[in-house]
PDB file of all heavy atoms in Angstrom:
ATOM      1  N   THR A  25       0.607  17.280  17.795  1.00 90.00           N
ATOM      2  CA  THR A  25       1.258  18.365  17.069  1.00 90.00           C
ATOM      3  C   THR A  25       1.934  17.835  15.826  1.00 90.00           C
ATOM      4  O   THR A  25       1.910  18.469  14.753  1.00 90.00           O
ATOM      5  CB  THR A  25       2.303  19.059  17.987  1.00 90.00           C
ATOM      6  OG1 THR A  25       1.629  19.633  19.101  1.00 90.00           O
ATOM      7  CG2 THR A  25       3.047  20.151  17.222  1.00 90.00           C
ATOM      8  N   GLN A  26       2.528  16.636  15.911  1.00 91.00           N
ATOM      9  CA  GLN A  26       3.188  16.025  14.741  1.00 91.00           C
ATOM     10  C   GLN A  26       2.185  15.704  13.643  1.00 91.00           C
ATOM     11  O   GLN A  26       2.561  15.633  12.471  1.00 91.00           O
ATOM     12  CB  GLN A  26       3.908  14.744  15.149  1.00 91.00           C
ATOM     13  CG  GLN A  26       5.335  14.933  15.620  1.00 91.00           C
ATOM     14  CD  GLN A  26       6.308  15.112  14.454  1.00 91.00           C
ATOM     15  OE1 GLN A  26       5.948  15.652  13.408  1.00 91.00           O
ATOM     16  NE2 GLN A  26       7.528  14.662  14.636  1.00 91.00           N
ATOM     17  N   MET A  27       0.913  15.516  13.991  1.00 90.00           N
ATOM     18  CA  MET A  27      -0.072  15.175  12.983  1.00 90.00           C
ATOM     19  C   MET A  27      -0.191  16.268  11.934  1.00 90.00           C
ATOM     20  O   MET A  27      -0.356  15.995  10.742  1.00 90.00           O
ATOM     21  CB  MET A  27      -1.446  14.917  13.617  1.00 90.00           C
ATOM     22  CG  MET A  27      -1.531  13.633  14.432  1.00 90.00           C
ATOM     23  SD  MET A  27      -1.130  12.129  13.502  1.00 90.00           S
ATOM     24  CE  MET A  27       0.594  11.886  13.985  1.00 90.00           C
ATOM     25  N   SER A  28      -0.098  17.533  12.343  1.00 85.00           N
ATOM     26  CA  SER A  28      -0.168  18.626  11.369  1.00 85.00           C
ATOM     27  C   SER A  28       1.030  18.582  10.431  1.00 85.00           C
ATOM     28  O   SER A  28       0.884  18.777   9.220  1.00 85.00           O
ATOM     29  CB  SER A  28      -0.223  19.969  12.104  1.00 85.00           C
ATOM     30  OG  SER A  28      -1.432  20.102  12.811  1.00 85.00           O
ATOM     31  N   SER A  29       2.227  18.314  10.988  1.00 89.00           N
ATOM     32  CA  SER A  29       3.417  18.210  10.137  1.00 89.00           C
ATOM     33  C   SER A  29       3.305  17.021   9.194  1.00 89.00           C
ATOM     34  O   SER A  29       3.651  17.098   8.013  1.00 89.00           O
ATOM     35  CB  SER A  29       4.677  18.054  10.999  1.00 89.00           C
ATOM     36  OG  SER A  29       4.858  19.189  11.819  1.00 89.00           O
ATOM     37  N   PHE A  30       2.798  15.892   9.715  1.00 92.00           N
ATOM     38  CA  PHE A  30       2.642  14.698   8.884  1.00 92.00           C
ATOM     39  C   PHE A  30       1.713  14.980   7.708  1.00 92.00           C
ATOM     40  O   PHE A  30       2.030  14.653   6.552  1.00 92.00           O
ATOM     41  CB  PHE A  30       2.113  13.539   9.718  1.00 92.00           C
ATOM     42  CG  PHE A  30       1.775  12.309   8.902  1.00 92.00           C
ATOM     43  CD1 PHE A  30       2.752  11.381   8.602  1.00 92.00           C
ATOM     44  CD2 PHE A  30       0.485  12.111   8.422  1.00 92.00           C
ATOM     45  CE1 PHE A  30       2.452  10.259   7.833  1.00 92.00           C
ATOM     46  CE2 PHE A  30       0.173  11.002   7.658  1.00 92.00           C
ATOM     47  CZ  PHE A  30       1.153  10.074   7.362  1.00 92.00           C
ATOM     48  N   VAL A  31       0.554  15.561   7.984  1.00 90.00           N
ATOM     49  CA  VAL A  31      -0.436  15.811   6.918  1.00 90.00           C
ATOM     50  C   VAL A  31       0.148  16.753   5.892  1.00 90.00           C
ATOM     51  O   VAL A  31       0.001  16.533   4.679  1.00 90.00           O
ATOM     52  CB  VAL A  31      -1.724  16.382   7.531  1.00 90.00           C
ATOM     53  CG1 VAL A  31      -2.654  16.886   6.423  1.00 90.00           C
ATOM     54  CG2 VAL A  31      -2.431  15.320   8.353  1.00 90.00           C
ATOM     55  N   LYS A  32       0.844  17.798   6.331  1.00 89.00           N
ATOM     56  CA  LYS A  32       1.402  18.766   5.392  1.00 89.00           C
ATOM     57  C   LYS A  32       2.451  18.123   4.497  1.00 89.00           C
ATOM     58  O   LYS A  32       2.416  18.283   3.259  1.00 89.00           O
ATOM     59  CB  LYS A  32       2.024  19.953   6.130  1.00 89.00           C
ATOM     60  CG  LYS A  32       2.584  21.037   5.209  1.00 89.00           C
ATOM     61  CD  LYS A  32       3.176  22.179   5.991  1.00 89.00           C
ATOM     62  CE  LYS A  32       3.620  23.294   5.046  1.00 89.00           C
ATOM     63  NZ  LYS A  32       4.525  22.841   3.987  1.00 89.00           N
ATOM     64  N   VAL A  33       3.383  17.377   5.097  1.00 91.00           N
ATOM     65  CA  VAL A  33       4.456  16.773   4.300  1.00 91.00           C
ATOM     66  C   VAL A  33       3.912  15.649   3.427  1.00 91.00           C
ATOM     67  O   VAL A  33       4.258  15.538   2.250  1.00 91.00           O
ATOM     68  CB  VAL A  33       5.582  16.252   5.220  1.00 91.00           C
ATOM     69  CG1 VAL A  33       6.617  15.453   4.406  1.00 91.00           C
ATOM     70  CG2 VAL A  33       6.249  17.411   5.933  1.00 91.00           C
ATOM     71  N   PHE A  34       3.034  14.800   4.003  1.00 93.00           N
ATOM     72  CA  PHE A  34       2.548  13.647   3.239  1.00 93.00           C
ATOM     73  C   PHE A  34       1.718  14.080   2.036  1.00 93.00           C
ATOM     74  O   PHE A  34       1.659  13.373   1.025  1.00 93.00           O
ATOM     75  CB  PHE A  34       1.729  12.737   4.147  1.00 93.00           C
ATOM     76  CG  PHE A  34       1.556  11.342   3.616  1.00 93.00           C
ATOM     77  CD1 PHE A  34       2.612  10.652   3.035  1.00 93.00           C
ATOM     78  CD2 PHE A  34       0.333  10.695   3.688  1.00 93.00           C
ATOM     79  CE1 PHE A  34       2.465   9.372   2.543  1.00 93.00           C
ATOM     80  CE2 PHE A  34       0.166   9.408   3.194  1.00 93.00           C
ATOM     81  CZ  PHE A  34       1.242   8.745   2.616  1.00 93.00           C
ATOM     82  N   SER A  35       1.067  15.245   2.129  1.00 91.00           N
ATOM     83  CA  SER A  35       0.317  15.750   0.971  1.00 91.00           C
ATOM     84  C   SER A  35       1.202  16.528   0.002  1.00 91.00           C
ATOM     85  O   SER A  35       0.716  17.004  -1.016  1.00 91.00           O
ATOM     86  CB  SER A  35      -0.857  16.612   1.432  1.00 91.00           C
ATOM     87  OG  SER A  35      -0.399  17.725   2.205  1.00 91.00           O
ATOM     88  N   ASP A  36       2.496  16.657   0.335  1.00 91.00           N
ATOM     89  CA  ASP A  36       3.456  17.329  -0.556  1.00 91.00           C
ATOM     90  C   ASP A  36       4.424  16.330  -1.171  1.00 91.00           C
ATOM     91  O   ASP A  36       5.469  16.731  -1.707  1.00 91.00           O
ATOM     92  CB  ASP A  36       4.259  18.383   0.219  1.00 91.00           C
ATOM     93  CG  ASP A  36       3.504  19.680   0.401  1.00 91.00           C
ATOM     94  OD1 ASP A  36       2.478  19.859  -0.298  1.00 91.00           O
ATOM     95  OD2 ASP A  36       3.908  20.501   1.241  1.00 91.00           O
ATOM     96  N   VAL A  37       4.118  15.043  -1.087  1.00 93.00           N
ATOM     97  CA  VAL A  37       5.009  14.033  -1.653  1.00 93.00           C
ATOM     98  C   VAL A  37       4.223  13.096  -2.553  1.00 93.00           C
ATOM     99  O   VAL A  37       2.996  13.006  -2.479  1.00 93.00           O
ATOM    100  CB  VAL A  37       5.740  13.211  -0.572  1.00 93.00           C
ATOM    101  CG1 VAL A  37       6.547  14.094   0.349  1.00 93.00           C
ATOM    102  CG2 VAL A  37       4.743  12.352   0.224  1.00 93.00           C
ATOM    103  N   ARG A  38       4.967  12.424  -3.398  1.00 94.00           N
ATOM    104  CA  ARG A  38       4.426  11.296  -4.140  1.00 94.00           C
ATOM    105  C   ARG A  38       5.389  10.146  -3.968  1.00 94.00           C
ATOM    106  O   ARG A  38       6.573  10.347  -3.644  1.00 94.00           O
ATOM    107  CB  ARG A  38       4.234  11.640  -5.619  1.00 94.00           C
ATOM    108  CG  ARG A  38       5.524  11.887  -6.378  1.00 94.00           C
ATOM    109  CD  ARG A  38       5.248  12.508  -7.736  1.00 94.00           C
ATOM    110  NE  ARG A  38       4.196  11.801  -8.454  1.00 94.00           N
ATOM    111  CZ  ARG A  38       3.508  12.334  -9.468  1.00 94.00           C
ATOM    112  NH1 ARG A  38       3.764  13.573  -9.861  1.00 94.00           N
ATOM    113  NH2 ARG A  38       2.579  11.630 -10.081  1.00 94.00           N
ATOM    114  N   CYS A  39       4.911   8.924  -4.146  1.00 95.00           N
ATOM    115  CA  CYS A  39       5.768   7.769  -3.952  1.00 95.00           C
ATOM    116  C   CYS A  39       5.266   6.633  -4.807  1.00 95.00           C
ATOM    117  O   CYS A  39       4.252   6.730  -5.510  1.00 95.00           O
ATOM    118  CB  CYS A  39       5.823   7.372  -2.476  1.00 95.00           C
ATOM    119  SG  CYS A  39       4.283   6.687  -1.829  1.00 95.00           S
ATOM    120  N   THR A  40       5.986   5.505  -4.748  1.00 96.00           N
ATOM    121  CA  THR A  40       5.563   4.279  -5.423  1.00 96.00           C
ATOM    122  C   THR A  40       4.935   3.374  -4.367  1.00 96.00           C
ATOM    123  O   THR A  40       5.527   3.110  -3.325  1.00 96.00           O
ATOM    124  CB  THR A  40       6.757   3.567  -6.068  1.00 96.00           C
ATOM    125  OG1 THR A  40       7.340   4.427  -7.049  1.00 96.00           O
ATOM    126  CG2 THR A  40       6.311   2.270  -6.721  1.00 96.00           C
ATOM    127  N   GLU A  41       3.728   2.928  -4.657  1.00 96.00           N
ATOM    128  CA  GLU A  41       3.060   1.965  -3.782  1.00 96.00           C
ATOM    129  C   GLU A  41       2.983   0.622  -4.497  1.00 96.00           C
ATOM    130  O   GLU A  41       2.451   0.520  -5.594  1.00 96.00           O
ATOM    131  CB  GLU A  41       1.645   2.439  -3.434  1.00 96.00           C
ATOM    132  CG  GLU A  41       0.910   1.463  -2.515  1.00 96.00           C
ATOM    133  CD  GLU A  41      -0.558   1.795  -2.334  1.00 96.00           C
ATOM    134  OE1 GLU A  41      -1.117   2.500  -3.199  1.00 96.00           O
ATOM    135  OE2 GLU A  41      -1.154   1.338  -1.354  1.00 96.00           O
ATOM    136  N   GLN A  42       3.542  -0.399  -3.859  1.00 96.00           N
ATOM    137  CA  GLN A  42       3.437  -1.770  -4.372  1.00 96.00           C
ATOM    138  C   GLN A  42       2.484  -2.551  -3.481  1.00 96.00           C
ATOM    139  O   GLN A  42       2.653  -2.561  -2.247  1.00 96.00           O
ATOM    140  CB  GLN A  42       4.816  -2.433  -4.400  1.00 96.00           C
ATOM    141  CG  GLN A  42       5.782  -1.750  -5.365  1.00 96.00           C
ATOM    142  CD  GLN A  42       7.167  -2.337  -5.280  1.00 96.00           C
ATOM    143  OE1 GLN A  42       7.704  -2.507  -4.203  1.00 96.00           O
ATOM    144  NE2 GLN A  42       7.759  -2.656  -6.420  1.00 96.00           N
ATOM    145  N   VAL A  43       1.488  -3.169  -4.076  1.00 95.00           N
ATOM    146  CA  VAL A  43       0.464  -3.873  -3.318  1.00 95.00           C
ATOM    147  C   VAL A  43       0.458  -5.342  -3.732  1.00 95.00           C
ATOM    148  O   VAL A  43       0.353  -5.656  -4.911  1.00 95.00           O
ATOM    149  CB  VAL A  43      -0.942  -3.281  -3.559  1.00 95.00           C
ATOM    150  CG1 VAL A  43      -1.973  -4.005  -2.685  1.00 95.00           C
ATOM    151  CG2 VAL A  43      -0.953  -1.785  -3.265  1.00 95.00           C
ATOM    152  N   GLU A  44       0.605  -6.216  -2.754  1.00 95.00           N
ATOM    153  CA  GLU A  44       0.508  -7.657  -2.981  1.00 95.00           C
ATOM    154  C   GLU A  44      -0.747  -8.172  -2.301  1.00 95.00           C
ATOM    155  O   GLU A  44      -0.885  -8.092  -1.077  1.00 95.00           O
ATOM    156  CB  GLU A  44       1.742  -8.386  -2.451  1.00 95.00           C
ATOM    157  CG  GLU A  44       1.702  -9.885  -2.727  1.00 95.00           C
ATOM    158  CD  GLU A  44       3.005 -10.587  -2.361  1.00 95.00           C
ATOM    159  OE1 GLU A  44       4.010  -9.880  -2.122  1.00 95.00           O
ATOM    160  OE2 GLU A  44       2.998 -11.830  -2.308  1.00 95.00           O
ATOM    161  N   GLN A  45      -1.687  -8.677  -3.083  1.00 94.00           N
ATOM    162  CA  GLN A  45      -2.954  -9.188  -2.576  1.00 94.00           C
ATOM    163  C   GLN A  45      -2.923 -10.714  -2.659  1.00 94.00           C
ATOM    164  O   GLN A  45      -2.741 -11.278  -3.736  1.00 94.00           O
ATOM    165  CB  GLN A  45      -4.123  -8.651  -3.410  1.00 94.00           C
ATOM    166  CG  GLN A  45      -4.244  -7.139  -3.381  1.00 94.00           C
ATOM    167  CD  GLN A  45      -5.159  -6.651  -4.501  1.00 94.00           C
ATOM    168  OE1 GLN A  45      -4.702  -6.479  -5.631  1.00 94.00           O
ATOM    169  NE2 GLN A  45      -6.428  -6.435  -4.199  1.00 94.00           N
ATOM    170  N   ASP A  46      -3.125 -11.363  -1.520  1.00 93.00           N
ATOM    171  CA  ASP A  46      -3.111 -12.821  -1.464  1.00 93.00           C
ATOM    172  C   ASP A  46      -4.429 -13.346  -0.937  1.00 93.00           C
ATOM    173  O   ASP A  46      -4.975 -12.826   0.056  1.00 93.00           O
ATOM    174  CB  ASP A  46      -1.985 -13.323  -0.542  1.00 93.00           C
ATOM    175  CG  ASP A  46      -0.604 -13.014  -1.086  1.00 93.00           C
ATOM    176  OD1 ASP A  46      -0.447 -12.981  -2.318  1.00 93.00           O
ATOM    177  OD2 ASP A  46       0.312 -12.787  -0.262  1.00 93.00           O
ATOM    178  N   LYS A  47      -4.931 -14.381  -1.588  1.00 93.00           N
ATOM    179  CA  LYS A  47      -6.062 -15.145  -1.089  1.00 93.00           C
ATOM    180  C   LYS A  47      -5.491 -16.436  -0.551  1.00 93.00           C
ATOM    181  O   LYS A  47      -4.770 -17.164  -1.247  1.00 93.00           O
ATOM    182  CB  LYS A  47      -7.041 -15.438  -2.234  1.00 93.00           C
ATOM    183  CG  LYS A  47      -8.178 -16.374  -1.869  1.00 93.00           C
ATOM    184  CD  LYS A  47      -9.183 -15.695  -0.971  1.00 93.00           C
ATOM    185  CE  LYS A  47     -10.444 -16.567  -0.809  1.00 93.00           C
ATOM    186  NZ  LYS A  47     -10.165 -17.897  -0.261  1.00 93.00           N
ATOM    187  N   LEU A  48      -5.770 -16.745   0.739  1.00 91.00           N
ATOM    188  CA  LEU A  48      -5.172 -17.880   1.416  1.00 91.00           C
ATOM    189  C   LEU A  48      -6.195 -18.992   1.613  1.00 91.00           C
ATOM    190  O   LEU A  48      -7.390 -18.728   1.796  1.00 91.00           O
ATOM    191  CB  LEU A  48      -4.602 -17.452   2.774  1.00 91.00           C
ATOM    192  CG  LEU A  48      -3.671 -16.232   2.775  1.00 91.00           C
ATOM    193  CD1 LEU A  48      -3.264 -15.887   4.187  1.00 91.00           C
ATOM    194  CD2 LEU A  48      -2.459 -16.482   1.901  1.00 91.00           C
ATOM    195  N   ASN A  49      -5.711 -20.243   1.612  1.00 89.00           N
ATOM    196  CA  ASN A  49      -6.619 -21.350   1.904  1.00 89.00           C
ATOM    197  C   ASN A  49      -6.669 -21.579   3.404  1.00 89.00           C
ATOM    198  O   ASN A  49      -6.035 -20.883   4.199  1.00 89.00           O
ATOM    199  CB  ASN A  49      -6.204 -22.613   1.127  1.00 89.00           C
ATOM    200  CG  ASN A  49      -4.821 -23.110   1.527  1.00 89.00           C
ATOM    201  OD1 ASN A  49      -4.319 -22.846   2.619  1.00 89.00           O
ATOM    202  ND2 ASN A  49      -4.190 -23.858   0.631  1.00 89.00           N
ATOM    203  N   LYS A  50      -7.387 -22.614   3.829  1.00 87.00           N
ATOM    204  CA  LYS A  50      -7.583 -22.853   5.250  1.00 87.00           C
ATOM    205  C   LYS A  50      -6.304 -23.228   5.974  1.00 87.00           C
ATOM    206  O   LYS A  50      -6.217 -23.146   7.203  1.00 87.00           O
ATOM    207  CB  LYS A  50      -8.646 -23.939   5.458  1.00 87.00           C
ATOM    208  CG  LYS A  50      -8.257 -25.303   4.884  1.00 87.00           C
ATOM    209  CD  LYS A  50      -9.369 -26.305   5.116  1.00 87.00           C
ATOM    210  CE  LYS A  50      -8.990 -27.685   4.551  1.00 87.00           C
ATOM    211  NZ  LYS A  50     -10.093 -28.679   4.769  1.00 87.00           N
ATOM    212  N   ASN A  51      -5.283 -23.639   5.225  1.00 87.00           N
ATOM    213  CA  ASN A  51      -3.989 -23.966   5.810  1.00 87.00           C
ATOM    214  C   ASN A  51      -3.019 -22.797   5.773  1.00 87.00           C
ATOM    215  O   ASN A  51      -1.848 -22.937   6.130  1.00 87.00           O
ATOM    216  CB  ASN A  51      -3.380 -25.161   5.084  1.00 87.00           C
ATOM    217  CG  ASN A  51      -4.224 -26.411   5.219  1.00 87.00           C
ATOM    218  OD1 ASN A  51      -4.722 -26.699   6.297  1.00 87.00           O
ATOM    219  ND2 ASN A  51      -4.387 -27.155   4.122  1.00 87.00           N
ATOM    220  N   GLY A  52      -3.487 -21.636   5.319  1.00 87.00           N
ATOM    221  CA  GLY A  52      -2.642 -20.445   5.254  1.00 87.00           C
ATOM    222  C   GLY A  52      -1.748 -20.394   4.036  1.00 87.00           C
ATOM    223  O   GLY A  52      -0.879 -19.526   3.956  1.00 87.00           O
ATOM    224  N   LYS A  53      -1.938 -21.279   3.074  1.00 91.00           N
ATOM    225  CA  LYS A  53      -1.149 -21.283   1.839  1.00 91.00           C
ATOM    226  C   LYS A  53      -1.814 -20.383   0.796  1.00 91.00           C
ATOM    227  O   LYS A  53      -3.041 -20.306   0.709  1.00 91.00           O
ATOM    228  CB  LYS A  53      -1.017 -22.697   1.281  1.00 91.00           C
ATOM    229  CG  LYS A  53      -0.330 -23.674   2.221  1.00 91.00           C
ATOM    230  CD  LYS A  53       1.142 -23.333   2.393  1.00 91.00           C
ATOM    231  CE  LYS A  53       1.857 -24.360   3.263  1.00 91.00           C
ATOM    232  NZ  LYS A  53       1.897 -25.695   2.653  1.00 91.00           N
ATOM    233  N   ILE A  54      -0.997 -19.707  -0.015  1.00 89.00           N
ATOM    234  CA  ILE A  54      -1.507 -18.792  -1.037  1.00 89.00           C
ATOM    235  C   ILE A  54      -2.115 -19.611  -2.168  1.00 89.00           C
ATOM    236  O   ILE A  54      -1.456 -20.479  -2.758  1.00 89.00           O
ATOM    237  CB  ILE A  54      -0.387 -17.889  -1.570  1.00 89.00           C
ATOM    238  CG1 ILE A  54       0.140 -16.980  -0.457  1.00 89.00           C
ATOM    239  CG2 ILE A  54      -0.893 -17.038  -2.743  1.00 89.00           C
ATOM    240  CD1 ILE A  54       1.358 -16.160  -0.855  1.00 89.00           C
ATOM    241  N   GLU A  55      -3.364 -19.328  -2.490  1.00 88.00           N
ATOM    242  CA  GLU A  55      -4.007 -19.989  -3.626  1.00 88.00           C
ATOM    243  C   GLU A  55      -4.271 -19.024  -4.769  1.00 88.00           C
ATOM    244  O   GLU A  55      -4.436 -19.456  -5.910  1.00 88.00           O
ATOM    245  CB  GLU A  55      -5.308 -20.657  -3.189  1.00 88.00           C
ATOM    246  CG  GLU A  55      -6.365 -19.752  -2.627  1.00 88.00           C
ATOM    247  CD  GLU A  55      -7.603 -20.511  -2.191  1.00 88.00           C
ATOM    248  OE1 GLU A  55      -7.476 -21.658  -1.728  1.00 88.00           O
ATOM    249  OE2 GLU A  55      -8.712 -19.951  -2.314  1.00 88.00           O
ATOM    250  N   SER A  56      -4.332 -17.716  -4.496  1.00 89.00           N
ATOM    251  CA  SER A  56      -4.449 -16.696  -5.546  1.00 89.00           C
ATOM    252  C   SER A  56      -3.640 -15.497  -5.135  1.00 89.00           C
ATOM    253  O   SER A  56      -3.542 -15.161  -3.941  1.00 89.00           O
ATOM    254  CB  SER A  56      -5.904 -16.296  -5.763  1.00 89.00           C
ATOM    255  OG  SER A  56      -6.683 -17.385  -6.180  1.00 89.00           O
ATOM    256  N   SER A  57      -3.040 -14.814  -6.119  1.00 90.00           N
ATOM    257  CA  SER A  57      -2.195 -13.673  -5.801  1.00 90.00           C
ATOM    258  C   SER A  57      -2.237 -12.653  -6.941  1.00 90.00           C
ATOM    259  O   SER A  57      -2.364 -13.024  -8.105  1.00 90.00           O
ATOM    260  CB  SER A  57      -0.746 -14.126  -5.567  1.00 90.00           C
ATOM    261  OG  SER A  57       0.093 -13.037  -5.265  1.00 90.00           O
ATOM    262  N   GLU A  58      -2.158 -11.391  -6.551  1.00 91.00           N
ATOM    263  CA  GLU A  58      -2.069 -10.323  -7.554  1.00 91.00           C
ATOM    264  C   GLU A  58      -1.137  -9.247  -7.018  1.00 91.00           C
ATOM    265  O   GLU A  58      -1.250  -8.854  -5.847  1.00 91.00           O
ATOM    266  CB  GLU A  58      -3.445  -9.735  -7.842  1.00 91.00           C
ATOM    267  CG  GLU A  58      -3.437  -8.627  -8.892  1.00 91.00           C
ATOM    268  CD  GLU A  58      -4.838  -8.189  -9.285  1.00 91.00           C
ATOM    269  OE1 GLU A  58      -5.713  -9.070  -9.481  1.00 91.00           O
ATOM    270  OE2 GLU A  58      -5.083  -6.975  -9.366  1.00 91.00           O
ATOM    271  N   LYS A  59      -0.240  -8.772  -7.849  1.00 93.00           N
ATOM    272  CA  LYS A  59       0.694  -7.702  -7.471  1.00 93.00           C
ATOM    273  C   LYS A  59       0.476  -6.510  -8.374  1.00 93.00           C
ATOM    274  O   LYS A  59       0.392  -6.659  -9.599  1.00 93.00           O
ATOM    275  CB  LYS A  59       2.135  -8.179  -7.560  1.00 93.00           C
ATOM    276  CG  LYS A  59       2.476  -9.319  -6.607  1.00 93.00           C
ATOM    277  CD  LYS A  59       3.938  -9.735  -6.730  1.00 93.00           C
ATOM    278  CE  LYS A  59       4.255 -10.869  -5.791  1.00 93.00           C
ATOM    279  NZ  LYS A  59       5.673 -11.307  -5.892  1.00 93.00           N
ATOM    280  N   SER A  60       0.388  -5.329  -7.772  1.00 93.00           N
ATOM    281  CA  SER A  60       0.161  -4.107  -8.517  1.00 93.00           C
ATOM    282  C   SER A  60       1.118  -3.028  -8.060  1.00 93.00           C
ATOM    283  O   SER A  60       1.562  -3.005  -6.900  1.00 93.00           O
ATOM    284  CB  SER A  60      -1.291  -3.606  -8.327  1.00 93.00           C
ATOM    285  OG  SER A  60      -2.229  -4.599  -8.662  1.00 93.00           O
ATOM    286  N   THR A  61       1.456  -2.118  -8.980  1.00 95.00           N
ATOM    287  CA  THR A  61       2.313  -0.983  -8.677  1.00 95.00           C
ATOM    288  C   THR A  61       1.591   0.294  -9.083  1.00 95.00           C
ATOM    289  O   THR A  61       1.008   0.380 -10.162  1.00 95.00           O
ATOM    290  CB  THR A  61       3.649  -1.086  -9.425  1.00 95.00           C
ATOM    291  OG1 THR A  61       4.297  -2.312  -9.065  1.00 95.00           O
ATOM    292  CG2 THR A  61       4.567   0.089  -9.084  1.00 95.00           C
ATOM    293  N   PHE A  62       1.642   1.291  -8.187  1.00 95.00           N
ATOM    294  CA  PHE A  62       0.923   2.540  -8.407  1.00 95.00           C
ATOM    295  C   PHE A  62       1.843   3.731  -8.181  1.00 95.00           C
ATOM    296  O   PHE A  62       2.756   3.665  -7.342  1.00 95.00           O
ATOM    297  CB  PHE A  62      -0.269   2.693  -7.445  1.00 95.00           C
ATOM    298  CG  PHE A  62      -1.265   1.573  -7.495  1.00 95.00           C
ATOM    299  CD1 PHE A  62      -1.117   0.449  -6.692  1.00 95.00           C
ATOM    300  CD2 PHE A  62      -2.380   1.640  -8.324  1.00 95.00           C
ATOM    301  CE1 PHE A  62      -2.037  -0.588  -6.712  1.00 95.00           C
ATOM    302  CE2 PHE A  62      -3.307   0.620  -8.349  1.00 95.00           C
ATOM    303  CZ  PHE A  62      -3.153  -0.496  -7.550  1.00 95.00           C
ATOM    304  N   ASP A  63       1.602   4.817  -8.897  1.00 95.00           N
ATOM    305  CA  ASP A  63       2.045   6.129  -8.462  1.00 95.00           C
ATOM    306  C   ASP A  63       1.026   6.604  -7.435  1.00 95.00           C
ATOM    307  O   ASP A  63      -0.179   6.622  -7.696  1.00 95.00           O
ATOM    308  CB  ASP A  63       2.093   7.117  -9.633  1.00 95.00           C
ATOM    309  CG  ASP A  63       3.309   6.929 -10.498  1.00 95.00           C
ATOM    310  OD1 ASP A  63       4.282   6.327 -10.008  1.00 95.00           O
ATOM    311  OD2 ASP A  63       3.300   7.365 -11.658  1.00 95.00           O
ATOM    312  N   TYR A  64       1.514   6.981  -6.264  1.00 96.00           N
ATOM    313  CA  TYR A  64       0.611   7.223  -5.127  1.00 96.00           C
ATOM    314  C   TYR A  64       0.836   8.617  -4.559  1.00 96.00           C
ATOM    315  O   TYR A  64       1.971   9.067  -4.381  1.00 96.00           O
ATOM    316  CB  TYR A  64       0.877   6.173  -4.050  1.00 96.00           C
ATOM    317  CG  TYR A  64       0.137   6.347  -2.754  1.00 96.00           C
ATOM    318  CD1 TYR A  64      -1.084   5.716  -2.536  1.00 96.00           C
ATOM    319  CD2 TYR A  64       0.660   7.128  -1.722  1.00 96.00           C
ATOM    320  CE1 TYR A  64      -1.773   5.859  -1.334  1.00 96.00           C
ATOM    321  CE2 TYR A  64      -0.022   7.286  -0.512  1.00 96.00           C
ATOM    322  CZ  TYR A  64      -1.230   6.636  -0.341  1.00 96.00           C
ATOM    323  OH  TYR A  64      -1.909   6.791   0.857  1.00 96.00           O
ATOM    324  N   LEU A  65      -0.250   9.297  -4.255  1.00 93.00           N
ATOM    325  CA  LEU A  65      -0.169  10.553  -3.511  1.00 93.00           C
ATOM    326  C   LEU A  65      -1.465  10.762  -2.752  1.00 93.00           C
ATOM    327  O   LEU A  65      -2.493  10.153  -3.053  1.00 93.00           O
ATOM    328  CB  LEU A  65       0.143  11.752  -4.409  1.00 93.00           C
ATOM    329  CG  LEU A  65      -0.800  12.105  -5.548  1.00 93.00           C
ATOM    330  CD1 LEU A  65      -1.939  13.013  -5.065  1.00 93.00           C
ATOM    331  CD2 LEU A  65      -0.039  12.815  -6.679  1.00 93.00           C
ATOM    332  N   VAL A  66      -1.409  11.631  -1.743  1.00 92.00           N
ATOM    333  CA  VAL A  66      -2.564  11.942  -0.908  1.00 92.00           C
ATOM    334  C   VAL A  66      -2.879  13.430  -1.041  1.00 92.00           C
ATOM    335  O   VAL A  66      -1.980  14.269  -0.978  1.00 92.00           O
ATOM    336  CB  VAL A  66      -2.306  11.583   0.567  1.00 92.00           C
ATOM    337  CG1 VAL A  66      -3.354  12.209   1.474  1.00 92.00           C
ATOM    338  CG2 VAL A  66      -2.299  10.072   0.745  1.00 92.00           C
TER     339      VAL A  66
END
């Protein structure tokens, strides 16, 4: 039942989405990184 409320409200909002993308080496250390900021809505 909450899914209907979630879909209705989430499609009535906008927000800021910050995305951090990391490429890791075999030891788990970051070797490449990119950060992006978006205006986001569904």
